[in-house]
Amino acid sequence: MKKRGLIFIVFIIVLTCMSAACSERSAPTEFSVAFFTDGGKNIPSIFTDEIISQPVPTKEGYVFEGWYETKDFSSKRVVFPYKPVKDITLYAKYIDINKGNEELVFALSETGESYVLTSYTGDAAAVVVPAMHDGLPVKEVSDGFLKDYYALKEFYFSSELSTLGETFYYCPNLEGFFRIDEGEGGYDAKEGVLYTDGGKTLLKYPVSLKKNSAYVTAFSVPEGTENLADNAFRNALRLKSVTLPSSLVSIGNNFSALSSLESISASGEVFSSQNGVLFTSERETLLIYPAGKTDDSYAIPDETTTVADGAFESAQTENLVLGDSTENFTPPVKAEKLLSFEVKNNPFFSVKEGILYDKDGKVLIKYPSAKEGERFSVPEGTEKIDSYAFYGASRLKQLTLPSTVKEIASYAFCGGETGTVEKITFASESSLETLDGSAFTACKNLKTVVLSSRTPPDTDVGLLAEGDFYIYVPVNAEPFYRSEWGKIASRIHTSDVVLTPYEISFVSNGGTEIDAYYTVFIPSEPVTIREGYVFGGWFAEADFSGEKLSFPKAFYQNSVLYAYWIKK
């Protein structure tokens, strides 16, 4: 019994030791990290398992480029957060502001009196444009210099720079712009933001602007700024709110596509805001509805007469109510969550089943992209399907159009990224006259289009040829379609629609007799001969008061045609 007790005690001791060993092994391992700043401000060594943010040393006349694990900088630049795996010294690398990055590529300007910066072949997080190169000023940075440069965090420039091309088209990690000298220049930087015109124009907001090591989500444009350059805030996807100064007179092409932006605040003689939506000062024009604003429904104020193009393009609202005075309104093409439109006392628009039409209901302007239902029949009496009317309809699969529709505008059924329409059917005896060739562009799910007009609608067959859907036409009009739409003849098939034929008789007026046709269309001009005369064509009026008929020609009723003769 004593032996068993002793064994049990030994087992417990061993188990306890193993547990302690496991705990010791699982505990974080810390190492010593020293920093060699090479003449820069000293950074104390630390003992740690992880360095969250990058320490930044300062050195007069230089810009800090990054830390390296090797003294000759042959290793890759250290990325933070950084986890050391041993005791180590990190070495600071700098860029001389008088020389700029070693990998900069320069070219002489046309005058030969200055240099143009044409490209950069390195991968540094900081790019420094020097004031001088080979004894001449660096005046210009060419278009695309740092386009799509993912590594860029900081951009430094001098007062000599006078021309800065479209350079920062997409630099998703750009944190700020900085001047390397004092004095007046073409460009300036304030708190990391790039300006020109003596600070009157905000030229570029860095998309990853930071303050106190945190990304900026609320930004106030400084008072005194008068203009926002086009695309100044492109891709600033972290911004949740923007405040505009009273001095601002122009906003350029900005803010509409910023998916996180919830509100824009403004006051002054030119701009105003209401509930985070940007207007002109008296709210006559609605300029921007922020893409990150999450209201289920939004009502355009009754005093607003105009909605700027694209104002609701990326809106998240599900229901959009037009104000009583809203007259100039182009609906959003995408607005992927939009379920319905609504109007109350508006004299310019009407709504049926949540779909936007003109006041008379003859033009279907916009079918909400997220409207529920897999099938929809456009109401009888509708005469036109407007541009982008069904763009991106994400639930609709089968669409029927009435015989009254005469015109299909550009990109009317364009699928975009979310479109689900599979079949489009025109009701029998369609009046369709014009079908824009781009109407079915990007309809990736479209398989079938059923046409029923007697005459092939006027269209750009070359554009129709870009699709891979099949076109079905009335069996007794197929030859007409094939002859007119030769480029896509292989995709034309007959449907089960049979158009009503009519009797077409001929009065030859002394010429050889022509037998009557019982048909939908006549493919070519019937030929009659009369001695001593030249045939001048067929007319629908016995007195030849109308226009000469052209062939092939479709007929919509029983008709009599009259031969016109010209004496030799």
Side-chain angles (χ1 to χ4, degrees):
M1 194 69 181
K2 290 182 179 179
K3 188 176 181 180
R4 287 184 179 176
L6 182 61
I7 293 173
F8 178 76
I9 292 171
V10 171
F11 175 77
I12 293 298
I13 293 172
V14 171
L15 189 63
T16 302
C17 291
M18 289 177 64
S19 176
C22 285
S23 297
E24 187 175 341
R25 282 199 302 271
S26 62
T29 303
E30 297 183 338
F31 296 99
S32 172
V33 180
F35 301 93
F36 179 73
T37 60
D38 191 22
K41 184 178 180 180
N42 183 58
I43 295 177
S45 299
I46 58 174
F47 194 70
T48 185
D49 66 315
E50 182 177 24
I51 304 174
I52 301 300
S53 58
Q54 175 174 257
V56 179
T58 56
K59 184 177 179 180
E60 187 71 25
Y62 293 84
V63 169
F64 176 65
E65 193 263 7
W67 294 104
Y68 291 79
E69 293 181 341
T70 55
K71 193 171 184 178
D72 62 357
F73 312 121
S74 58
S75 62
K76 289 186 177 180
R77 186 171 56 251
V78 173
V79 177
F80 292 83
Y82 171 69
K83 291 185 177 183
V85 296
K86 61 181 180 179
D87 292 340
I88 193 168
T89 297
L90 298 183
Y91 298 88
K93 184 179 180 181
Y94 302 92
I95 305 167
D96 188 333
I97 63 172
N98 294 315
K99 297 179 180 179
N101 302 68
E102 296 177 359
E103 301 87 353
L104 295 174
V105 179
F106 299 87
L108 273 172
S109 65
E110 293 182 358
T111 64
E113 297 177 350
S114 62
Y115 274 99
V116 177
L117 194 51
T118 60
S119 63
Y120 173 63
T121 60
D123 63 352
V127 172
V128 180
V129 179
M132 306 289 288
H133 178 71
D134 283 351
L136 294 175
V138 179
K139 292 286 188 182
E140 183 177 349
V141 172
S142 61
D143 284 344
F145 168 62
L146 292 173
K147 181 180 180 181
D148 299 338
Y149 183 43
Y150 286 70
L152 183 67
K153 290 188 176 182
E154 299 173 347
F155 183 80
Y156 295 81
F157 61 95
S158 80
S159 57
E160 290 287 352
L161 189 64
S162 60
T163 303
L164 183 58
E166 182 62 50
T167 300
F168 309 100
Y169 180 75
Y170 188 63
C171 297
N173 296 301
L174 182 59
E175 297 177 2
F177 298 91
F178 307 93
R179 274 274 295 273
I180 61 175
D181 57 10
E182 299 295 332
E184 295 184 2
Y187 300 92
D188 202 359
K190 301 176 184 178
E191 298 184 353
V193 181
L194 185 64
Y195 296 83
T196 188
D197 299 331
K200 292 182 179 180
T201 299
L202 190 159
L203 188 62
K204 185 64 180 176
Y205 175 91
V207 298
S208 293
L209 181 66
K210 287 185 176 181
K211 188 173 183 179
N212 298 326
S213 300
Y215 290 113
V216 173
T217 59
F219 179 72
S220 295
V221 178
E223 193 65 44
T225 305
E226 297 180 1
N227 308 291
L228 303 182
D230 282 342
N231 303 312
F233 287 84
R234 182 197 292 271
N235 297 318
L237 302 180
R238 291 185 176 89
L239 278 179
K240 293 185 177 181
S241 66
V242 172
T243 301
L244 305 179
S246 60
S247 56
L248 200 67
V249 297
S250 170
I251 63 167
N253 178 22
N254 286 290
F255 305 126
S256 60
L258 302 186
S259 57
S260 297
L261 189 63
E262 299 171 357
S263 68
I264 304 174
S265 300
S267 61
E269 295 183 1
V270 179
F271 301 104
S272 65
S273 61
Q274 183 184 60
N275 298 325
V277 181
L278 184 64
F279 296 83
T280 52
S281 59
E282 301 298 324
R283 291 206 293 271
E284 292 181 355
T285 300
L286 189 156
L287 298 170
I288 300 290
Y289 182 90
K293 192 174 174 63
T294 56
D295 296 345
D296 291 338
S297 181
Y298 179 74
I300 297 171
D302 286 340
E303 63 267 30
T304 300
T305 60
T306 300
V307 175
D309 289 351
F312 287 92
E313 195 53 54
S314 301
Q316 301 298 304
T317 187
E318 296 179 355
N319 180 55
L320 184 56
V321 184
L322 274 64
D324 292 352
S325 303
T326 305
E327 177 180 4
N328 303 306
F329 174 66
T330 300
V333 172
K334 296 180 181 178
E336 296 177 359
K337 293 185 178 181
L338 190 62
L339 294 170
S340 63
F341 290 95
E342 186 178 341
V343 296
K344 294 178 181 177
N345 301 310
N346 187 288
F348 308 105
F349 298 93
S350 62
V351 171
K352 304 173 187 176
E353 299 182 59
I355 302 164
L356 186 66
Y357 297 80
D358 69 344
K359 188 61 179 179
D360 298 328
K362 293 183 178 181
V363 180
L364 191 158
I365 298 173
K366 183 61 181 176
Y367 180 95
S369 298
K371 182 176 172 59
E372 297 179 351
E374 294 187 355
R375 297 170 180 263
F376 177 69
S377 294
V378 175
E380 193 75 22
T382 305
E383 297 181 358
K384 179 181 178 181
I385 306 300
D386 215 352
S387 295
Y388 299 99
F390 288 89
Y391 182 99
S394 59
R395 298 179 180 178
L396 183 64
K397 291 187 176 181
Q398 296 192 29
L399 176 64
T400 301
L401 294 102
S403 60
T404 53
V405 170
K406 298 178 181 180
E407 180 183 354
I408 305 295
S410 59
Y411 303 102
F413 309 109
C414 184
E417 297 177 0
T418 60
T420 55
V421 176
E422 298 175 356
K423 183 178 182 180
I424 299 174
T425 302
F426 288 79
S428 185
E429 296 289 356
S430 169
S431 303
L432 187 61
E433 299 172 354
T434 304
L435 172 64
D436 192 281
S438 66
F440 308 111
T441 296
C443 291
K444 58 185 179 182
N445 292 299
L446 184 62
K447 300 177 178 65
T448 305
V449 175
V450 180
L451 299 175
S452 64
S453 53
R454 291 172 175 260
T455 302
D458 183 31
T459 190
D460 184 339
V461 181
L463 289 177
L464 285 183
E466 295 176 4
D468 57 2
F469 50 88
Y470 290 104
I471 297 175
Y472 290 82
V473 300
V475 62
N476 50 350
E478 180 193 14
F480 200 170
Y481 279 84
R482 287 186 176 275
S483 65
E484 292 290 298
W485 292 0
K487 287 185 178 180
I488 56 172
S490 63
R491 284 168 40 207
I492 295 176
H493 302 271
T494 56
S495 67
D496 56 3
V497 174
V498 179
L499 298 173
T500 302
Y502 294 102
E503 183 178 33
I504 314 302
S505 56
F506 301 87
V507 176
S508 58
N509 289 327
T512 53
E513 296 297 322
I514 303 293
D515 293 334
Y517 283 71
Y518 194 63
T519 187
V520 168
F521 78 102
I522 298 177
S524 58
E525 186 176 65
V527 177
T528 180
I529 300 173
R530 182 182 178 185
E531 188 174 349
Y533 290 83
V534 175
F535 180 59
W538 296 102
F539 287 76
E541 297 82 11
D543 61 357
F544 313 114
S545 58
E547 294 183 358
K548 174 185 173 181
L549 302 180
S550 59
F551 295 84
K553 179 171 177 56
F555 293 88
Y556 297 86
Q557 60 185 7
N558 294 329
S559 302
V560 177
L561 306 187
Y562 300 88
Y564 178 72
W565 298 101
I566 303 171
K567 190 173 180 63
K568 290 183 179 179

